[in-house]
Amino acid sequence: GQNIDQPTEMTATEGAIVQINCTYQTSGFNGLFWYQQHAGEAPTFLSYNVLDGLEEKGRFSSFLSRSKGYSYLLLKELQMKDSASYLCAVSGRTGRRALTFGSGTRLQVQP
Amino acid sequence: GAVVSQHPSRVICKSGTSVKIECRSLDFQATTMFWYRQFPKQSLMLMATSNEGSKATYEQGVEKDKFLINHASLTLSTLTVTSAHPEDSSFYICSARDSGSGGQETQYFGPGTRLLVL
């Protein structure tokens, strides 16, 4: 089976940096995704990691350690519009390309 | 990024009726599309995998006779909720993977369909 854990809620201040962690246990691994989802909307793609290390994309970075079953999403220079849910999702073994999602982390950015 | 559309965006229906939701990949071909359901304040749960030209693969606990999936072309998958009941009220989201992207696993999500069954 597959199990993905991430914190339920986080609060941070505008302009600050926040790190959202995700741990996973899966049968097979074809990559880890981070999505952003605003209330009432569909998820939008943020990042994809399949190899160990850090992927940087503007204010957002994502890190993966396959040996530890661990990833984090780093958001820099937080803006009010970053208030949303952040979903960690894993693509399982080859042939099963569907994503298994964590429960999501609701981030509240305060002034 | 690739664009996926869904129609309708919102539907309200009476209990017992059937509702069809369309998912289209607009600028790429998708041999595989996925249907998810999301209840309020919960994460996305995979319902089924839609395969072009063959039968859909359903997740455990999802009734295939209630949630009919048809993937007739490389750009269109439909989900029909048959004899809908209030407990089927949810946010239904489809996603598609670009078949021409090689090993890239990225899935692109449609905007979702909010279903309310009265």
Side-chain angles (χ1 to χ4, degrees):
Chain A
Q2 307 201 95
N3 189 42
I4 301 174
D5 290 315
Q6 52 183 130
T8 305
E9 290 184 350
M10 298 184 71
T11 302
T13 305
E14 190 176 15
I17 299 174
V18 70
Q19 178 175 311
I20 303 174
N21 297 322
C22 172
T23 58
Y24 65 91
Q25 294 174 313
T26 62
S27 53
F29 180 80
N30 273 309
L32 185 143
F33 296 80
W34 284 96
Y35 285 87
Q36 179 191 62
Q37 185 179 29
H38 285 98
E41 300 180 9
T44 55
F45 171 75
L46 290 179
S47 68
Y48 170 65
N49 294 69
V50 67
L51 299 176
D52 290 350
L54 186 67
E55 295 278 345
E56 296 186 79
K57 191 183 298 183
R59 293 191 298 115
F60 293 4
S61 302
S62 57
F63 171 83
L64 175 68
S65 169
R66 289 173 296 171
S67 62
K68 295 181 179 179
Y70 168 69
S71 173
Y72 67 72
L73 179 69
L74 192 70
L75 293 76
K76 304 176 185 176
E77 301 171 15
L78 280 174
Q79 302 175 9
M80 299 298 291
K81 67 178 182 179
D82 297 328
S83 294
S85 286
Y86 291 86
L87 309 177
C88 173
V90 175
S91 177
R93 62 182 177 274
T94 302
R96 175 175 165 76
R97 261 53 186 279
L99 297 179
T100 300
F101 283 84
S103 56
T105 299
R106 282 192 298 277
L107 173 66
Q108 181 68 43
V109 180
Q110 298 178 337
Chain B
V3 178
V4 176
S5 71
Q6 267 184 255
H7 178 80
S9 59
R10 185 183 297 268
V11 59
I12 301 173
C13 68
K14 293 182 179 179
S15 184
T17 60
S18 293
V19 176
K20 179 186 282 189
I21 303 170
E22 294 186 349
C23 177
R24 294 181 185 272
S25 56
L26 297 185
D27 51 0
F28 64 98
Q29 293 183 333
T31 55
T32 303
M33 292 184 176
F34 304 94
W35 287 96
Y36 295 85
R37 181 167 53 182
Q38 186 177 35
F39 292 105
K41 296 188 178 182
Q42 296 185 21
S43 193
L44 282 74
M45 296 298 294
L46 178 68
M47 298 176 65
T49 302
S50 173
N51 305 298
E52 189 268 336
S54 64
K55 292 182 179 180
T57 304
Y58 290 82
E59 295 300 298
Q60 192 172 8
V62 178
E63 299 175 56
K64 62 179 181 180
D65 293 331
K66 180 169 182 63
F67 298 99
L68 301 178
I69 291 173
N70 184 280
H71 195 151
S73 77
L74 288 172
T75 59
L76 173 65
S77 175
T78 61
L79 168 69
T80 301
V81 183
T82 62
S83 186
H85 290 284
E87 58 264 31
D88 298 323
S89 299
S90 187
F91 191 43
Y92 292 86
I93 310 173
C94 73
S95 73
R97 191 178 72 90
D98 185 348
S99 302
S101 63
Q104 177 59 267
E105 295 287 338
T106 302
Q107 291 184 23
Y108 299 95
F109 284 84
T113 297
R114 193 163 298 282
L115 171 64
L116 177 61
V117 184
L118 302 176

